[in-house]
Amino acid sequence: MFQEISTELLSQGYSVRFRPGGHSMSPAIRDGEAVTVAPVRASEVRRGDIILYRAERGLIAHRVLRLRGETDAPVFITRGDAATSCDAPVSASQVLGRVICVERNGRPLSLKGLRMRIFCGARPFISRLKVRLRPVVHLTGRRMRVE
């Protein structure tokens, strides 16, 4: 029901506000924080944007890492900030909107600021580093904690 209502509102040009669950977009979006999604044309989506799109498992809001294909029919490679692997490619027809605001502790948090871009940009790098260090840590017998 939520998916149908959100899809309809966004297709008519309205923004939607809701509280997604999960930790895949931490630290940019924490579990249960309110997010506002505005309609967006696929041609306006840029690398670094967080898009809301339709997938087999429902609606997903993940960050765009790369764009492939033509400008009129792009394909987006997305991943949650806390994930170590990318999602299945997202076609332009699956894109519903772009996350424009996150509400944290009752205050709006801009996703466009330099501080947030650096903070969120470091998370995937740290996740990949953890995966690469795991065999080294296993061989040395030492425990490392990288967050």
Side-chain angles (χ1 to χ4, degrees):
M1 177 101 139
F2 170 75
Q3 182 171 341
E4 292 83 15
I5 292 171
S6 297
T7 300
E8 183 64 26
L9 288 171
L10 287 163
S11 71
Q12 291 182 15
Y14 295 100
S15 294
V16 294
R17 183 174 176 269
F18 63 99
R19 294 182 183 274
H23 301 280
S24 69
M25 280 305 296
S26 180
I29 303 171
R30 297 177 184 160
D31 183 42
E33 289 182 328
V35 299
T36 303
V37 177
V40 67
R41 288 191 299 264
S43 62
E44 297 172 341
V45 173
R46 301 289 175 253
R47 192 173 142 261
D49 287 347
I50 299 171
I51 58 171
L52 180 70
Y53 64 91
R54 274 186 248 93
E56 286 184 23
R57 60 183 188 180
L59 296 182
I60 297 175
H62 279 174
R63 190 173 306 278
V64 175
L65 297 181
R66 290 187 308 272
L67 289 86
R68 294 190 324 212
E70 304 297 320
T71 339
D72 55 340
V75 174
F76 305 100
I77 306 302
T78 63
R79 180 174 67 206
D81 288 352
T84 56
S85 60
C86 293
D87 305 323
V90 177
S91 69
S93 63
Q94 291 175 264
V95 176
L96 299 174
R98 174 174 38 210
V99 176
I100 58 168
C101 184
V102 176
E103 191 175 305
R104 183 166 295 159
N105 300 322
R107 298 179 139 195
L109 176 68
S110 172
L111 296 175
K112 293 293 182 186
L114 179 62
R115 183 176 174 208
M116 182 56 81
R117 285 179 145 178
I118 291 170
F119 186 62
C120 295
R123 184 70 177 204
F125 171 76
I126 291 170
S127 294
R128 287 190 305 272
L129 183 63
K130 284 170 60 174
V131 169
R132 289 188 177 139
L133 286 177
R134 201 168 286 141
V136 174
V137 173
H138 178 70
L139 290 174
T140 63
R142 293 183 181 182
R143 291 192 72 176
M144 288 180 70
R145 185 169 183 198
V146 180
E147 291 187 24

